[in-house]
Amino acid sequence: MSILEIALASQIWARRREKRQLGLDDADALKAVLRIAFVIVAFTLLISGLNLAAGRPQMLADGSASVAAGR
């Protein structure tokens, strides 16, 4: 066996022997709250950016419409 195969086999063996955590810790709850807060902030910034971007072409369209109306 090569060194890579031995390392992979030992990693698999260690994960099989590892006991999974069943309950939630305070750290897990904090991570979940932080992730939710991050998603809300990111979504809010995305929506506000899209609203800001949508306002700019409208102003440009108003300016070009007045030039076209003058012809």
Side-chain angles (χ1 to χ4, degrees):
M1 289 180 117
S2 69
I3 295 173
L4 182 62
E5 290 172 334
I6 294 170
L8 184 60
S10 66
Q11 185 71 18
I12 292 170
W13 181 259
R15 286 186 182 245
R16 285 185 183 170
R17 304 282 250 156
E18 182 181 285
K19 291 184 179 178
R20 294 286 178 196
Q21 185 180 15
L22 297 177
L24 285 177
D25 287 351
D26 290 339
D28 292 337
L30 181 63
K31 284 181 186 177
V33 169
L34 287 175
R35 285 179 184 169
I36 291 170
F38 177 76
V39 167
I40 289 172
V41 169
F43 185 72
T44 303
L45 288 174
L46 175 69
I47 295 300
S48 64
L50 289 173
N51 285 336
L52 184 64
R56 288 182 182 162
Q58 187 177 8
M59 291 179 355
L60 290 174
D62 289 343
S64 63
S66 63
V67 171
R71 288 184 185 180

